[in-house]
Amino acid sequence: KQEVTQIPAALSVPEGENLVLNCSFTDSAIYNLQWFRQDPGKGLTSLLLIQSSQREQTSGRLNASLDKSSGRSTLYIAASQPGDSATYLCAVMGGGFKTIFGAGTRLFVKA
Amino acid sequence: GAVVSQHPSRVICKSGTSVKIECRSLDFQATTMFWYRQFPKKSLMLMATSNEGSKATYEQGVEKDKFLINHASLTLSTLTVTSAHPEDSSFYICSARGGDGNNEQFFGPGTRLTVL
């Protein structure tokens, strides 16, 4: 059974700092891995999708990497801003095309 | 990108009543749709997988008679919470998987259910 773990559970950083969020999964037989952002009381915003054959994806200040063999992914946020404050969710699509979510990392960027 | 809508976005109902939530893929045909539930400050938990024209597959611990799922067409899946109780209050999110071979899932904006 796929399990997805995100570390840290919460993170508070000053504005401008570069940061890394970690995601690990137990079953490497995946189709893809996706990073989402969720603001309080809101739905999901897709940030980056990495297919199982890819190593990384970039969008603006965000860079996500995938090491399928070791069951790890990282989300790198450059030059963090207060507007980046949100919960970041890692989600893995595996067998049956089911997507399993991690518990999330709550990020707070201080102005 | 592909758009998935949910209706209603917010619903308040009395205990014992049934509530239906609709999930629609607006600009693509979804071979598979999924229903998730999210408790406050928790992550999303997969409830069931819905395939067009067949019975839904429920995850362990999810009561299929309480959470009725119907996937009547390639663009519509519905979740009906039957005989709702306050503990069913939650944020329900659906997603749809397109048939483009990319296997990307597109998520709806969610429905917040409050049972009084």
Side-chain angles (χ1 to χ4, degrees):
Chain A
K1 180 184 175 184
Q2 180 73 272
E3 292 182 5
V4 182
T5 303
Q6 289 188 246
I7 294 173
L11 183 62
S12 180
V13 299
E15 181 177 8
E17 193 161 296
N18 301 326
L19 55 100
V20 175
L21 308 182
N22 297 289
C23 172
S24 62
F25 47 96
T26 55
D27 186 349
S28 61
I30 65 170
Y31 289 101
N32 58 50
L33 183 145
Q34 201 162 355
W35 284 93
F36 294 90
R37 168 186 173 139
Q38 187 174 33
D39 293 285
K42 303 294 184 182
L44 303 179
T45 299
S46 179
L47 298 174
L48 291 165
L49 169 71
I50 311 176
Q51 300 291 351
S52 63
S53 59
Q54 297 173 327
R55 300 283 286 186
E56 67 176 346
Q57 284 286 336
T58 298
S59 176
R61 294 183 292 110
L62 305 179
N63 175 275
S65 68
L66 173 64
D67 184 341
K68 199 174 72 163
S69 61
S70 68
R72 295 175 189 270
S73 175
T74 60
L75 178 66
Y76 175 82
I77 302 177
S80 58
Q81 302 170 358
D84 294 331
S85 298
T87 295
Y88 289 81
L89 296 166
C90 168
V92 174
M93 178 185 281
F97 303 105
K98 296 180 182 180
T99 296
I100 305 300
F101 283 80
T105 294
R106 285 199 302 278
L107 172 66
F108 180 65
V109 181
K110 298 172 285 188
Chain B
V3 179
V4 174
S5 69
Q6 277 186 244
H7 178 79
S9 58
R10 187 180 295 267
V11 58
I12 300 173
C13 69
K14 292 182 179 180
S15 189
T17 61
S18 294
V19 175
K20 180 185 284 188
I21 302 170
E22 291 186 349
C23 176
R24 292 181 185 274
S25 57
L26 298 185
D27 49 4
F28 67 102
Q29 292 186 326
T31 52
T32 310
M33 289 183 168
F34 301 87
W35 287 95
Y36 297 83
R37 179 175 181 175
Q38 186 176 34
F39 291 101
K41 297 186 178 180
K42 299 291 184 182
S43 190
L44 280 74
M45 300 297 296
L46 178 64
M47 298 175 66
T49 303
S50 171
N51 292 298
E52 186 266 338
S54 62
K55 290 184 177 181
T57 303
Y58 291 81
E59 295 300 302
Q60 191 172 12
V62 178
E63 300 176 61
K64 61 180 181 181
D65 294 330
K66 179 160 191 64
F67 299 99
L68 300 179
I69 292 172
N70 183 276
H71 194 152
S73 75
L74 285 172
T75 60
L76 174 64
S77 177
T78 60
L79 168 67
T80 301
V81 183
T82 63
S83 186
H85 290 282
E87 56 265 31
D88 298 326
S89 298
S90 194
F91 192 51
Y92 293 88
I93 300 179
C94 73
S95 71
R97 172 179 158 257
D100 60 356
N102 205 24
N103 292 324
E104 184 171 1
Q105 280 194 51
F106 302 96
F107 286 79
T111 296
R112 185 162 304 283
L113 170 65
T114 303
V115 184
L116 302 176

